[in-house]
Amino acid sequence: MGRIHWMDKAKLRMFILVCEDEETGGFADRPGDMVDPFHTLFGVAGLSLLGDEQIKPANPVLCTPEDVLQRLNLQPDLLS
């Protein structure tokens, strides 16, 4: 979407990380809440899109690791 410059990357990364449950794993929608698969998926994808070096690059359209898409020879169609 070309709008990542609208965000404070450091604050967004920090928010995502404080929503992590370090004991059981996963991410919640806000700090202290119950983790769930939905917010875990988007937490990990968000960290990837923010350039976290510990996470594989994710495709923002399919929310899937780029290497998986390449291995399956899938290319998402982008609207112009």
Side-chain angles (χ1 to χ4, degrees):
M1 291 176 47
R3 303 291 187 259
I4 196 135
H5 64 279
W6 288 2
M7 296 179 254
D8 183 326
K9 292 181 188 180
K11 286 184 180 178
L12 179 55
R13 182 179 185 280
M14 182 61 71
F15 178 78
I16 293 170
L17 292 176
V18 298
C19 292
E20 179 183 15
D21 185 327
E22 294 182 6
E23 285 186 31
T24 62
F27 293 91
D29 62 340
R30 57 185 64 93
D33 281 3
M34 180 75 78
V35 300
D36 62 78
F38 179 80
H39 289 97
T40 298
L41 171 67
F42 288 108
V44 172
L47 291 172
S48 173
L49 294 172
L50 290 169
D52 191 301
E53 295 179 5
Q54 297 177 325
I55 300 175
K56 293 179 180 181
N59 180 285
V61 174
L62 299 177
C63 195
T64 305
E66 289 285 359
D67 66 330
V68 171
L69 296 177
Q70 290 174 0
R71 187 174 66 239
L72 297 173
N73 199 30
L74 297 174
Q75 296 294 321
D77 291 333
L78 300 177
L79 300 175
S80 52

